[in-house]
């Protein structure tokens, strides 16, 4: 009986602790405005319908385009380079903060708001 009460108490403490940390976490923010700024500065020269590559292989003209490509965006800036995963942006780079912003946005659902 005491073990059951202890487990219930510990579970309650963990749940409350996690809930409090989540709601007070200063990093809980909307990532999309920063992501859109990064894409505007670093990606649209190639990935816009009017860019030098005319949006190939993907275009990032609209919010919906960006959200639809959230996984590809995250992979191209943060995942290991491979023959099928090239590092973006080509001929340029993102800062660690920009990369982490993109990863955080993707992990939060890759949408316009979190």
């Amino acid at each position: 009986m005491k073990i059951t009460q202890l487990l219930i108490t510990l579970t309650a403490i963990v749940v409350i602790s996690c809930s409090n940390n989540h709601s007070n976490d200063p990093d809980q923010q909307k990532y999309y405005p920063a992501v859109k700024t990064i894409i505007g500065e670093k990606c649209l020269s190639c990935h816009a319908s009017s860019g030098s590559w005319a949006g190939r292989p993907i275009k990032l003209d609209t919010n919906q385009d960006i959200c639809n490509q959230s996984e590809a965006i995250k992979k191209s800036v943060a995942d290991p380079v491979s023959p099928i995963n090239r590092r973006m942006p080509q001929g340029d780079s993102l800062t660690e903060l920009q990369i982490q912003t993109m990863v955080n946005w993707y992990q939060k659902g890759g949408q316009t708001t979190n």
Side-chain angles (χ1 to χ4, degrees):
M1 190 73 143
K2 288 185 179 186
I3 292 176
T4 303
Q5 286 178 320
L6 178 63
L7 288 174
I8 291 171
T9 303
L10 288 174
T11 301
I13 290 170
V14 168
V15 168
I16 291 169
S17 176
C18 289
S19 296
N20 287 341
N21 286 342
H22 181 72
S23 62
N24 294 327
D25 185 351
D27 291 330
Q28 294 301 316
Q29 61 181 332
K30 294 180 180 178
Y31 291 104
Y32 186 72
V35 167
K36 190 167 181 175
T37 298
I38 295 165
I39 288 173
E41 293 173 355
K42 300 288 189 168
C43 307
L44 287 182
S45 63
C46 295
H47 291 285
S49 296
S50 61
S52 60
W53 285 74
R56 292 190 180 110
I58 60 173
K59 65 183 182 85
L60 302 173
D61 291 318
T62 67
N63 293 339
Q64 191 62 48
D65 291 339
I66 294 167
C67 293
N68 288 345
Q69 297 298 332
S70 63
E71 183 175 10
I73 292 167
K74 192 273 297 179
K75 285 181 177 181
S76 69
V77 301
D79 287 3
V81 175
S82 72
I84 58 171
N85 186 42
R86 299 172 72 183
R87 181 66 62 229
M88 295 288 157
Q90 290 185 353
D92 201 353
S93 62
L94 299 180
T95 66
E96 287 299 317
L97 179 60
Q98 289 172 321
I99 292 168
Q100 192 58 54
T101 298
M102 299 289 229
V103 170
N104 291 344
W105 167 69
Y106 173 75
Q107 290 174 340
K108 296 285 184 181
Q111 297 301 308
T112 56
T113 58
N114 293 320

